[in-house]
Amino acid sequence: MSCRSQLASWQALQTSANKMKEIHLKDLFANDSTRFEQFSTQIPGVLFDYSKQLIDNNVVTQLISLAQECDIATWRDKMFSGEKINITEDRAVLHTALRNRNESSLVVDNENVSSVVNAELQKIKLFVNKVRSGQWLGYTGKAVKDVVSIGVGGSNLGPQMATEALKSYADDTLKVHYVSNVDGVQIASVLKEIDPETTLFVISSKTFTTSETMTNAKTAVAWFLESANDKQAIAKHFVAVSTNLEKTAAFGIADENVFTMWDWVGGRFSLWSAIGLPIALYLGFEAFEAVLDGAFEVDEHFKTAEFQENIPLLMALLSVWNTSFLGFDSQAILPYDQALHMLPAYLQQGEMESNGKHVNFAGNTVPYTTVPIIWGMTGINGQHAFYQCLHQGNVVVPADFIASIKPQINVGEHHDILLSNFFAQTEAMMMGVDAQQVRADLTAKGKTEAEITQLLNHKIHQGNRPTTSMLLDTVDAKTVGRLIALYEHKIFCQGIILAICSFDQWGVELGKGLASKIEAELLDDSVTHPHDSSTNGLMSYYKQRRAQ
Ligand code: F6P
C-alpha cells in the first residue's frame, strides 16, 4: 500500500490547503449566505454544524474523495463483521457488537458474539437489579449503599464520564466512587467516606495486571478485612470485570463474581461492556440500555449515511484536514454543558491512545502529522482560562463546541446565558475584530489618537479560528451513547484515512516496564541505579529524604 500522501485526493487537498491559507472565514460567510444550510446536518438528537470550519465545497468534495480512495466503506464493513483489523494484535474490533440492539447474529472465531454479549448483559441486569433492590446483602446482612469502581484508563474514564454526565438522573439508591490513580490520597479519601458493611467494590481491568489497579484493589481488600476479618466475606463485597479469569481467581474473586469482556473490546472502547457496570449500578440497568441504544443508532447512521451526511466521517475528515493539511496541531473539546465536563478527558484517551502513532499499517513512518493533541474543559470555564490564547494567540486551535437545547435542570435564565456564550464564542472566533472595528470602538469610547495608536494592535482579534458546533437535544442516557459512538467512529475513520492502526497501544509499554524496574529499585536502599544522571539523581534525592 502506497503512502496516503501519494493519493491523488491527498495531493489535491495539499493544493487546496495552500489556497485556503489565503482566505478568511468571514469572507466565505460574506460571499455565501447559505453556508449553514450547506455545511450542517442532523441525526435524531444531534445537529452538527461544521460551516465555521475552513472549508468550501471544493475542499469537502476532495475530502470525500480521500475517504473513498482510502476505502472507508470496506474498512467499516470489516470492523462491523469482526475481521481482525487490529493488525498488530491480530484481533477483531467489535465494541459495536456490545450494543448490537437488533441482535443480528455475528460469529467470530467460531464464537457466536451476539449470544455471548447478550448472555453477559443478562448477567449484568440480574446483578444490578439484585444490588439496587437491596437483595444483594453484605457480610452483616446489610444492603449495598456505596459502589467503588477501581480501574484506570478505559476501565475508568468511560464509566466515570458517563455517570458524571447523567448524575442529574440518579436516584439515591447508591453512591458511586472512582479510584483510578495509584496516588494513595485518592483511595484514602474514598475509604474515609464508606462503610465496609455496605460497600461493593468493582475491580475493572481487562488484563487484571495493571499495576495501579492491582495496588488499589489490594489496599481495598486489606481495608475491608480489617473490619470483616473473614476472607469468606470478600465474595459479598468484591466483583471483577476482566478477560483474565486466572488472575481474578488468584486475586480471590470467585468466577461467578467475574463479569467477562473479550479481547476484541479495546479498553478505551469498553464502557458498553461490563466495564460499564458502575453506570448500570448507579443509574439503573434501563439507563445503561439507553446508552447502548443511543450508540446503536449512531452505528446504523455510520453504516448507512451517505458520506456527505455521515457525521463521524465528516468529523474525521475535518480533523485530518485541520491537522495533516492546515497544520493545526491540537483540537479543543469545549462542552457548554456541565454534565459533559469529563468528555475532554475521555476523548484524550480515545483519540490520542488510538491515533497517537507515527507508523502506518506497513510499519513505515508517515510523513504527516497524525493525531492532534486533544484537550479542553467546559467552555465557560475555558473562557476565563485559555480563551485569550484561542482568540489572540499565534497558534490556531480548531475546537468542537458542544451544547444542549434542553438543560438537565432548568435554573432561571442560566441556560440562555450559557447558550449565548456558546453562540457568541464561535462567531467571535470566526469573525475576529479588525483594525477598523477596533478604531471605531475606541473612538466611540472617546480615546485620543495617541491612545488609539497605542492600543489598536493589542485589541485586534485575527478571527479565522475554525470550530464545529454540536447542538444536542439534551444530555440524557441515549444522547451520551450517541455522542460517544460518534467520536468512536470518528477515531476509526481518522485511523483508516491516516493508515494507522487505531486499536493497539504499544506506546504505553516502555513507561510501564521502566516503572516496574524502578519500583523494585526504590525498595532497595542502595543509592546507585543503572539510569541516566538525572533519573539517578532524582531517585537518590527522593530516597535520602523520604525517610526524614
Ligand atoms: O493505558 C494503557 C491501557 O492498557 C489502556 O489501553 C487501558 O484502558 C488501561 O491501560 C487499563 O488497562 P486494564 O483495563 O487492562 O487494567
Side-chain angles (χ1 to χ4, degrees), residues 187-207:
I187 193 165
S189 67
V190 169
L191 296 179
K192 262 193 329 203
E193 289 178 41
I194 56 177
D195 175 346
E197 297 184 35
T198 57
T199 296
L200 175 72
F201 290 90
V202 181
I203 305 172
S204 297
S205 176
K206 181 177 174 183
T207 57

Side-chain angles (χ1 to χ4, degrees), residues 44-46 99 157-169 271-272 279 283 287-298 337-343 346-347 402 404 408 470 472-488:
V46 182
R99 68 242 188 166
L157 284 166
Q160 189 166 10
M161 178 272 302
T163 52
E164 281 296 302
L166 299 170
K167 65 185 178 186
S168 306
Y169 302 102
L271 76 87
W272 326 99
I279 306 168
L283 293 156
F288 181 64
E289 282 196 301
V291 174
L292 300 179
D293 291 343
F296 177 65
E297 261 184 29
V298 166
D337 198 302
Q338 184 59 30
L340 296 175
H341 75 93
M342 276 197 68
L343 183 65
Y346 176 78
L347 292 177
I402 305 165
S404 55
Q408 291 180 337
M470 275 196 248
L472 312 172
D473 282 359
T474 189
V475 179
D476 57 14
K478 201 167 189 179
T479 300
V480 168
R482 290 174 178 140
L483 189 62
I484 299 312
L486 284 171
Y487 275 99
E488 283 183 344

Side-chain angles (χ1 to χ4, degrees), residues 151-155 204-210 213 261 266-268 270 275 349 353 505 508-509 512:
V152 71
S155 296
S204 297
S205 176
K206 181 177 174 183
T207 57
F208 227 76
T209 59
T210 302
T213 301
M261 55 193 290
R268 52 192 174 272
S270 63
I275 292 287
Q349 184 195 17
E353 194 165 85
Q505 51 284 322
V508 303
E509 300 305 318
K512 275 183 183 176

